[in-house]
Amino acid sequence: MGFFKEFWAFLKVRKKFWLLPVLVLMGLFGALLVFSEGSVLAPFIYTLY
């Protein structure tokens, strides 16, 4: 939890709030790849990239 607290402090001090949506989307796409690895839908998801 300390990482998120420190990251939020960095965003507030440096006024880099545009980084938050970028990192959230990267995390969501990463989770999608991990969870769909053994799925039947994997070939269709990989065509998005």
Side-chain angles (χ1 to χ4, degrees):
M1 206 51 149
F3 171 76
F4 295 112
K5 203 179 226 184
E6 190 173 330
F7 183 68
W8 181 251
F10 169 78
L11 291 178
K12 282 192 335 186
V13 170
R14 305 268 190 216
K15 305 279 194 263
K16 303 272 185 193
F17 293 113
W18 58 270
L19 281 175
L20 195 58
V22 171
L23 292 175
V24 168
L25 284 176
M26 285 176 57
L28 288 174
F29 280 131
L32 178 68
L33 284 175
V34 167
F35 291 128
S36 68
E37 184 90 17
S39 170
V40 178
L41 299 175
F44 300 110
I45 292 174
Y46 285 127
T47 59
L48 296 174
Y49 302 106

